Structures are given as C-alpha cells and as structure tokens.
Amino acid sequence: MWGHSYQFHSTLGLPYTTALAFNSAPNTRDFYYCENFRHAKNNMRREPQSLRSRLREEFYTYCAFWIAVSALPALALSYVAVRISNHLWLKLLSSRYPSVEFIKTATIRSLLDTNRNQGIINVLLCIKGTLKAEDIKRELTQHVVDRRNQNGHLVFPRLRQLLVSYWGNYAWDGNVPFRPENHVFVANAVYRGRPVSDANIQDYISDVISKYFPSDHPPWQYIIIPCVSTETKYYILIRVHHLLLSGKKSLNIGDFLLMEQFPHRCLDRIELCHNSPLSKLFPTPSALPELWSKINESLSNIWNEFICEYDPVESPRALKTLPGAFHVAGLVFISTVSALREFSKKRMQHRETPAAMTAAKFILAIQRECKRRNLNVPKILISPLVTVDPRKWPRRMFETAFTTAKTTLTLPFKIRDEITAINELRTIGLVRQTDTFTWKYGDIAQLLVKATGETLRGMKEAYRAPWKLWTDTIGADDGKRHLLQTISLCGRKVASFSRPIPRADIDRAARALGVSSTDIALFAATESLRALFENAQSETPDSILVSARAACEDFLYTFAEGNGKNYKKSQTGGMVCLSIPVGATPRRIASVVDEACSRQVALAGAWAAQARCGALTRSVPSPFARLTLNALSRRYAVSYAEINAPTDAQRRKTLWGQEVDGVVYWRPPQANISLSLTVIQYADTVRLTVMADARLTPLHTVPSTRWPTVIEQLVNKIDQQIARITGRPIEVALSQRVQDTVENVREPMSEDDSETSRLAETTQTQPESIERDESQGTDTSQVLIPPTINTLRRHSFTNK
C-alpha cells in the first residue's frame, strides 16, 4: 500500500514523508507539518553563491554595462543618419512615383514582410442566430467602409487602396477601383463536397488562411460562412493585413469585429484582470508619479496665485495702480503662456491639418494678449520710474525693519514648532502644527525620499540590464536544434484551434498549485509541443525557447474612434524570452516565468517602446535590424501570446444584436518563427489557437488537440489529491468542481472552496508538482485519470 501511495505522490512531486502523511494521518495537520519541514529542509540545502561566482558575475555585469554605454553615441549617430537617409530616400521615391503614398514609419512586421511570408491577422467569430447577410454588410459599410468624419472625408481610406511595394518600400495606391463585393461576401457552405459544419470547420478555415490575398485588391477580407449545425449559428472570418492596423488613417481590429463596446476596465478595474505575470513586466513606481502629481499641484497653485495677483483679466484690482517693471515682466510672461495655450488648442482641434506656428504669428498672438491686459508701450516705458519712485522708500524701509525684528523675536518659537512637527510626522505620521513648513511640505519631502529610493533601484536595474539581456536571450541557447528550428519554411500558414475549456478549472488548478493561470497554460502548451515532437518522430529537446507576451481583451475589441488608437498602444506590453524545460511541472515553469519577467525588464521596455513609438526601427538601419530579427527568430522559433479578460467578463453582442458565442484570434508567425500559440479568454472559456507554417501540416493540429486534455487531466489529479487529503470521495470533489464552474466566480466561496484554498496554501510550498515523475522519468499523463463528466452545455468550436 505504501509503495502505491509513494508512486502516486511522487507523481505529484511530493516526497516520501508527505506520502506517509497522506496515508497515516487523517488530520491535515500532519500534512502541514511535513510540508513545512520539507520546505525548511529544501531552504537549508540551497547553498549560497560562492565568492568567485559573484565576482565573476559582477565583472561581466560591469563590462556589459560600459559596452552598452559606449554604444550610446553610435546609436544616437545611427538614429540621426537613419532618419535623414529615410527622409531623403522617401523624397526620391515620391518624386519617382508621385501617384502613390509611401509609408514613412516602418514596423517590425513590415521589416520582416516578404511576398511569401506576409503578416496577416486572422480572427474567427462564431455568432448565434440566423444569418442575415444584409444586416452584417450594412453595419460594416456604415461603421468601417463608408465612415466619414466631420469634414466629409473617409475615416479609413486605406480600405479602398491597394498595397504596393517599390524598391522595398510599401506604399498605398488609391488609383484603383474599389468593389466591396470583392472583400465582403458570403462563402460557399461546401468544403470538399461536404457542408461546412463543426466537424470540418477547422479544415475549411485553415484552407482559407493558407491562401494569399489577390494582388490587385486591397489586403483585407470579410468572409461570412454559413454552418450546418444542431444550433443556429454561423461564422465570420476577418483577414486583415497588419499595415491596415498601424500608422496614420489606420483602424483597429475591433472595428472589423463590430462588437458592442464596454468601458476600458483593464485600466479602471485592474484587479479584475487576469493575474498574468506577462502583463506585469514593468515595475510600477508609486512614489515617482505621486511626487510628480504633488509638484504639478503645487506649481498649479503658485501659478493661480500669480494670475490672481498680476493678471488684470482675472483680477481687476491690478489695474488700480500703474505697473512697475516687475509687474510688466509678469504681464508679458502671462501673455506668452496664454498665446502658447491658444496655439495648442488650435492644434488639437485641427489634428489632421495642423497649422504651422511661425515667429510672426507667435509675436502677433503675444501682442493680442498684451492688448487684452491694457499693456501698451507707454506703460512699459514708464514702469522703471514707477519701480524706483523715491516716495515709496521710507515705507519700504519701515516695513523691512519691522519684518526683521518680528522674525528675530519669533525665530526660536518657529524652530521649536518645526522640531515638534518633525517629531509628530516621524512618530504618528500626522502634523498638527498647521503654521509650519513641515505641515506644508512634509508630504513632498517624504515622497522625495521614496522617489529617490525608486530612482536608485531603477539605476541599479539599468546597470545590470545589459548583462541580464545577453544571458537571457543569446546565452540561453544551448546550441542544440529541434524540428521547429531546423524546418525549411514555405511562408504559407495553416491554423487550428482547441475546444473551449472553462476558465474556472484553470483558476482552481492555479490556486491549488500556488501558480498563475499563465503557468498552467504554458505547462499545457509545453506538453502539447512534446506531443508534437513525438508524433513527428523527432527528438524531443530538453528545453524550448519561446518568446512570450500578453495583452488585455480591449486590445482586440476597441474601436479606433476617439482615443482607441492611443489606448491600443498603451495596452501593447513588452516581450520576454523564456527557456521552458520540456516535461517540467507547473511550479518549475512558474519559477522560469517569474525569473524571466524580473530579469528581462530592459527587453520588455525596448519591445514596448518599439510597439508604441518605433524606437528600434528609427534608430537602427533596416538591413541590420532585419538580419538580427531573422537570427533571433531562428532560435526562438515558437511565439506565445495571451489575450486576457477580466474575471467577470460577459459574452458580447454584435452591433446588429446577435450574441457572439466564441472568438478565435491568430497571430501570424513571421521571419523564422514556425509556430505561433495564442491563449485567448472569452467570457468564461479559454482556448488555444495555433498558426504554423504549412510545412508542419498535419502536425499543427496536435497542440490544439492535446492542450485541453492536459489541463483536464491536471485538474482531475488535483481533485484526487484534495479528496485524499480531506478524506472525501473523489465524486464529491468532481461534483464540487462542476458546481464551481457553473457558479459565478465573483460569488463568495463555499465552505469546501475555503477548505480547498487552505489546502492550496500548503501545496504552494511544493517545488515539484503535477504531471511527471522526474525520479523515474515516467509520463503520467495517461494513468490514474478518471474521465471527467462535464455537465455544462457544449460550446462552439468543438472537435468531433
């Protein structure tokens, strides 16, 4: 009996003493004790880093930092040279081809674009209800295709223009006829002689995605796909070239999805968002923004007091006396600031055609503002005489003497009050002496100290960033190559997607193991890739290099109107490079992800800066950037992305009033990336989407098929473990999991869930968890797993 228990618990990553605790002690206190003892023992086994290793690491960090600093002048010179050369080259091309409009800002995808490997974004919607093609076409035409601004111009003119390329530069050609029927159409509901249904929808979609856009049409398609199913539903496939989604006069992918808009909850209610470590790549300073806000508030108060004292427009009493020299200087300064404010308002009102501010216009604006304040040339000339008027000297001398005597007498009392206020601020954090400088500026002083600490920590991270960047990207490669890195790519894409699984299952597994839902999804993705290597009869690598990132769901659904484009850029996070061990447990994967997110702040910041303002493509020559990205993508041949949703996310409706049952989003792999994985959350479900190079057919369906099975087996094992600990039958644990899945996640936890959470706190100390017996090297994915009875209704996109 003990041998069987030891085999089961070693599968879960538990030691022999914990197995004895499971079998011999019905009370969970013994389990708590064994876990705490093992955790303390593991901590004692961790030997500190030797002095030689620390010195070697500090030496490499020092060298890498000064190499990076030495490269900054070359980078600045490269930025100037690239900007000038690009400007001159585009001027030459524009004069040579005046009928087209060249794209001035390059992106990472545009650098990696080729005729065979294009960056095409694909989104599939499953919509409940009867297909009404005319309603769909009407909403798409009104909201996107024929939408016009206040001046009567098209909001998205690129949709009617052809994407062409001259001498390696993309351009938009508007001199082509536009026919909506070439882009918005109802597809034939027959695929290889069979009606399109849930059984063959994936093959049909993959076949459509594998085809290129027609070269004589604008690069986008809106395909309405009828479906034969027991439920009344249909599909919509949106295909868009990435250049339609970037630059001026562009649109967001959400404009094509045509879903109802919700408030941007990722910024308003950040606590409801998915707790993903990939969405928290940047350390969020708290003291620096608060200090900046306090300084702005103080400066604003000082400015308002200055306005009320000297501006005749705000305070008519300023006109009662002739202005002196200092008063005149203040009025000129106020007039200059008012002129600049007027110019900025006009620029904001006319964003499309901003008026250039010349020196003559600026001087005329200052003259108008001075005239409003009754400031003319005679007053300016007489202002020095008003300032040095001898009749004012006796009164000023008396006021100065009185102020000096008063300050001398009250100085000891003020010092006493300041000391008392400082002591109160230090002990109780509250100052009662309201007439002291400590009461007035104590908060700013405290924030200044905290901001200084944050600045020093930031400088320390900047010092260590070059060496960490090198070791975590280039140094992470062990030189061994696997199938996904060595395969010869053809450029065409194939796609697949998994069946949906409940989000509650992943969240429960994450809580039980003390990890995040991202770690559970990555664990399942790694096991899916192992299944891919096994099906390909290829050698399974020890680790897989993966580039990972995350975004909020509003990144996908937000319209471009208003502040939609800026919001989309603000939600574009950074990227990290992961070296994920194959066969690792969720706890091991969680440690890898956390360490990468904490070490690769520089990489994440650089990638976010490129996505938001094009920092890389503006600073580095495009041939060098292209070669570097191709070399890196050969190593990091797998990309992973997440589209996270708040925990209380609901199903959305289209603008024509029908409910969206499912959303599938594919990120196109470019350069030498052969496989792109995306985990997308929608409402209460999660699914994995796979886009791969066509050379991987039919292996591209293995990850999408294996991924939900791995998660379900993991959840079943956790339920079995909890049932063994609590002494409850496994059927009770499974029924409790189904009940938790049906209930709203925001409702208070039941008594059993509270007990599960308490047990999860003890399980969090396990360094090795579920899914693989590392001591015996046995894959336990197919043993000790009872079938899961899912009482929920069947979702769409199911694999038959």
Side-chain angles (χ1 to χ4, degrees), residues 229-505:
S229 177
T230 56
E231 300 178 351
T232 305
K233 63 180 180 181
Y234 60 94
Y235 296 93
I236 296 179
L237 178 63
I238 298 101
R239 307 186 65 206
V240 188
H241 197 280
H242 69 90
L243 286 175
L244 285 170
L245 308 177
S246 61
K248 294 182 179 180
K249 302 178 183 178
S250 63
L251 69 165
N252 291 350
I253 188 63
D255 292 294
F256 277 114
L257 300 185
L258 299 176
M259 292 188 189
E260 60 181 359
Q261 296 294 286
F262 292 157
H264 296 320
R265 297 179 293 178
C266 287
L267 294 180
D268 298 337
R269 293 189 291 168
I270 191 67
E271 70 276 3
L272 295 180
C273 284
H274 184 70
N275 187 19
S276 171
L278 299 178
S279 61
K280 299 178 292 185
L281 300 179
F282 309 108
T284 305
S286 58
L288 284 173
E290 191 172 355
L291 177 62
W292 180 254
S293 177
K294 285 282 187 181
I295 292 175
N296 285 337
E297 183 180 355
S298 300
L299 292 177
S300 178
N301 293 334
I302 294 172
W303 175 255
N304 291 332
E305 293 176 359
F306 180 73
I307 289 292
C308 293
E309 183 69 23
Y310 293 103
D311 192 0
V313 177
E314 301 293 336
S315 178
R317 64 185 179 85
L319 294 174
K320 294 182 179 180
T321 59
L322 289 175
F326 298 103
H327 195 172
V328 168
L331 290 177
V332 173
F333 180 68
I334 293 172
S335 301
T336 304
V337 173
S338 300
L340 289 174
R341 187 178 300 172
E342 289 297 326
F343 271 108
S344 63
K345 287 182 180 179
K346 290 180 181 179
R347 187 177 292 273
M348 292 296 294
Q349 293 174 358
H350 305 282
R351 287 185 177 180
E352 297 181 357
T353 58
M357 185 180 66
T358 61
K361 292 182 179 180
F362 185 56
I363 293 175
L364 290 176
I366 295 177
Q367 289 180 356
R368 287 195 303 268
E369 294 297 331
C370 290
K371 189 176 180 180
R372 286 182 58 199
R373 291 161 177 81
N374 295 325
L375 184 62
N376 47 32
V377 176
K379 288 185 178 181
I380 295 176
L381 295 177
I382 204 175
S383 61
L385 300 178
V386 175
T387 302
V388 298
D389 188 1
R391 295 174 296 179
K392 300 179 181 179
W393 290 1
R395 188 184 65 178
R396 290 179 180 176
M397 293 176 63
F398 177 76
E399 290 177 353
T400 303
F402 178 77
T403 304
T404 303
K406 181 180 178 181
T407 303
T408 303
L409 294 175
T410 58
L411 183 60
F413 300 98
K414 289 185 177 181
I415 294 176
R416 183 200 61 185
D417 294 341
E418 292 293 342
I419 295 174
T420 304
I422 292 173
N423 188 32
E424 290 177 347
L425 182 64
R426 183 178 59 85
T427 55
I428 64 177
L430 181 65
V431 179
R432 298 188 181 92
Q433 305 289 336
T434 59
D435 56 344
T436 59
F437 288 101
T438 304
W439 179 83
K440 197 172 184 179
Y441 302 107
D443 294 341
I444 295 180
Q446 286 182 323
L447 287 175
L448 183 61
V449 173
K450 295 180 181 178
T452 303
E454 291 182 351
T455 304
L456 293 177
R457 288 192 294 270
M459 293 173 63
K460 179 181 177 181
E461 289 295 328
Y463 170 73
R464 297 184 176 276
W467 173 242
K468 290 180 179 179
L469 184 62
W470 176 266
T471 56
D472 292 341
T473 54
I474 307 299
D477 189 12
D478 56 0
K480 300 179 180 179
R481 295 291 180 262
H482 53 77
L483 171 66
L484 300 178
Q485 294 175 323
T486 58
I487 188 171
S488 179
L489 307 179
C490 67
R492 292 190 304 109
K493 303 297 187 295
V494 290
S496 65
F497 51 88
S498 70
R499 55 185 172 86
I501 60 175
R503 288 182 60 181
D505 286 357

Side-chain angles (χ1 to χ4, degrees), residues 71 104 173 196 244 454 542 617 625 630 669 694 751 780 786:
K104 298 180 180 180
D173 186 3
V196 175
L244 285 170
E454 291 182 351
D542 297 332
T617 53
N630 277 287
E751 182 179 356
T780 61

Side-chain angles (χ1 to χ4, degrees), residues 72-90:
L72 289 179
L75 187 63
L77 182 62
S78 173
Y79 175 80
V80 176
V82 168
R83 293 301 301 272
I84 294 176
S85 60
N86 286 343
H87 179 74
L88 295 177
W89 177 245
L90 290 177

Side-chain angles (χ1 to χ4, degrees), residues 82 188 195 285 343 414 423 516 526 584 617 666 672 716 785 790 798:
V82 168
N188 188 6
F343 271 108
K414 289 185 177 181
N423 188 32
S516 66
T526 307
T617 53
W666 289 280
N672 293 317
N716 288 335
I785 306 299
N790 192 356
T798 54

Side-chain angles (χ1 to χ4, degrees), residues 197-200 202 228-230 499 794-795 797-800:
S197 62
D198 290 335
N200 61 353
Q202 294 210 34
V228 178
S229 177
T230 56
R499 55 185 172 86
R794 184 179 298 275
H795 294 274
F797 305 103
T798 54
N799 293 329
K800 295 292 182 74

